Amino acid sequence: GTSAPLLHAAFGARVPTLLLPAFLVMATAGFVLPTSMAAAMAPFPERAGLASGLLGALQLALASGIGYAVAAALGGTARPLVLGWLFTTLATALAARHLARLAARHAR
């Protein structure tokens, strides 16, 4: 996630500096998304369909909102795309940290 902004800062907005991180994200999505879907449904096995639908709707809403914001900000450069990647990477890291703290507190 943070490789795109780093590559962009080091080498500028060239096609390989944007495609390589995008390829890595898409290649690993096949591992991450099913695992996150299973983890979201684990606490509520009797409502697995509801949990799955809610997670899918949240993913779609966030992707649509971020995609719209990036598309609206494009001005002939790839900078908004790279900043969008950086923002979502940092937001994900903060959410994971917060959830890990909540889980540790709940385990006590």
Side-chain angles (χ1 to χ4, degrees):
T2 56
S3 61
L6 295 175
L7 289 171
H8 184 276
F11 302 108
R14 296 194 177 102
V15 172
T17 64
L18 296 174
L19 288 183
L20 180 63
F23 171 76
L24 292 174
V25 168
M26 291 301 130
T28 58
F31 297 110
V32 174
L33 293 177
T35 306
S36 64
M37 187 69 74
M41 292 184 291
F44 312 103
E46 68 281 353
R47 295 186 181 150
L50 177 66
S52 174
L54 180 60
L55 184 59
L58 287 174
Q59 288 174 344
L60 181 64
L62 285 172
S64 297
I66 292 170
Y68 180 76
V70 168
L74 285 175
T77 70
R79 185 166 286 136
L81 177 64
V82 172
L83 291 175
W85 278 342
L86 182 61
F87 170 76
T88 55
T89 300
L90 293 175
T92 302
L94 288 173
R97 183 177 178 196
H98 178 69
L99 290 173
R101 284 184 178 176
L102 286 176
R105 197 177 313 156
H106 181 69
R108 291 181 201 171

